[in-house]
Amino acid sequence: MDLTQVVGQNVHRLRTAAGISLADLASASGISKTTLHGIEQGQGNPTLSTLWALATALKASLGELLETPAPMVEVVRVSDRRPQVEGDAVGARLLHRIRLRGTVEVYDIAIAQSTQHSDAHLAGVEECLVLTHGRVTTGPADSPTDLAEGDSIRFNAARPHLYRGQAAHNRAVLLMVHPES
């Protein structure tokens, strides 16, 4: 994807997540509404000073405007090769990186052999689940993923999602990431 498209999508995503209108962001950043609209459409070639003004007005880093957004759903299988480091007593394998400004809630959950449908949470809320025992199906309701013990998933929980246990006993660690309000 072209950098101007990435910037446009990021500006739009950050603006809507913050609940800021196009006119308000234009005013706060000192950029015309027409120019801002063009940037969000992936048109034009914003200067560094324009990007800094937008980042400041959105209370975001410059990198948040330039970086390609993470996929909506990221699944890591227990067998996937991921960055790993070893110490004297601890080995650590990176499963997911979650950038945040806000709060992380950590839950130990049991998932029964039935289906629980969850309504969409507030905009910006993500869920990250690491399956520690059993087998489950989880993720966005329109495209759930089967997980085995040791697999993990991260997804945008601001859309309907589900949990379904596939084994008699299913346990997981669930991280709910809430953006800063």
Side-chain angles (χ1 to χ4, degrees):
M1 186 181 313
D2 172 283
L3 182 61
T4 56
Q5 292 173 322
V6 169
V7 168
Q9 288 179 0
N10 288 337
V11 169
H12 179 76
R13 176 180 51 79
L14 292 166
R15 179 179 64 76
T16 55
I20 302 171
S21 72
L22 193 70
D24 288 341
L25 180 57
S27 176
S29 63
I31 298 167
S32 78
K33 189 173 164 183
T34 304
T35 299
L36 180 56
H37 177 72
I39 289 170
E40 284 195 0
Q41 296 301 308
Q43 302 163 350
N45 190 15
T47 65
L48 183 58
S49 60
T50 297
L51 293 174
W52 274 117
L54 287 170
T56 300
L58 290 166
K59 295 180 176 66
S61 70
L62 181 62
E64 287 178 275
L65 297 183
L66 301 175
E67 187 174 59
T68 304
M72 293 293 281
V73 176
E74 179 184 25
V75 177
V76 176
R77 302 289 180 190
V78 69
S79 61
D80 289 350
R81 296 185 57 82
R82 300 287 292 178
Q84 192 163 329
V85 294
E86 300 292 331
D88 292 336
V90 175
R93 178 173 170 245
L94 178 64
L95 297 177
H96 303 278
R97 289 187 69 225
I98 302 170
R99 298 180 196 283
L100 63 106
R101 278 190 232 133
T103 303
V104 177
E105 297 173 345
V106 181
Y107 296 92
D108 173 23
I109 65 172
I111 305 162
Q113 281 185 297
S114 57
T115 301
Q116 175 175 315
H117 293 274
S118 292
D119 292 332
H121 299 307
L122 296 173
V125 174
E126 290 185 53
E127 290 189 13
C128 180
L129 180 132
V130 180
L131 189 62
T132 57
H133 186 80
R135 293 182 328 276
V136 301
T137 300
T138 189
D142 60 356
S143 59
T145 301
D146 292 331
L147 300 178
E149 193 170 304
D151 291 345
S152 65
I153 186 170
R154 179 181 64 92
F155 59 90
N156 175 357
R159 12 185 324 212
H161 49 285
L162 63 85
Y163 289 91
R164 180 181 312 122
Q166 301 293 347
H169 302 284
N170 307 288
R171 290 204 77 83
V173 175
L174 174 66
L175 286 80
M176 291 193 65
V177 182
H178 299 270
E180 190 171 71
S181 23

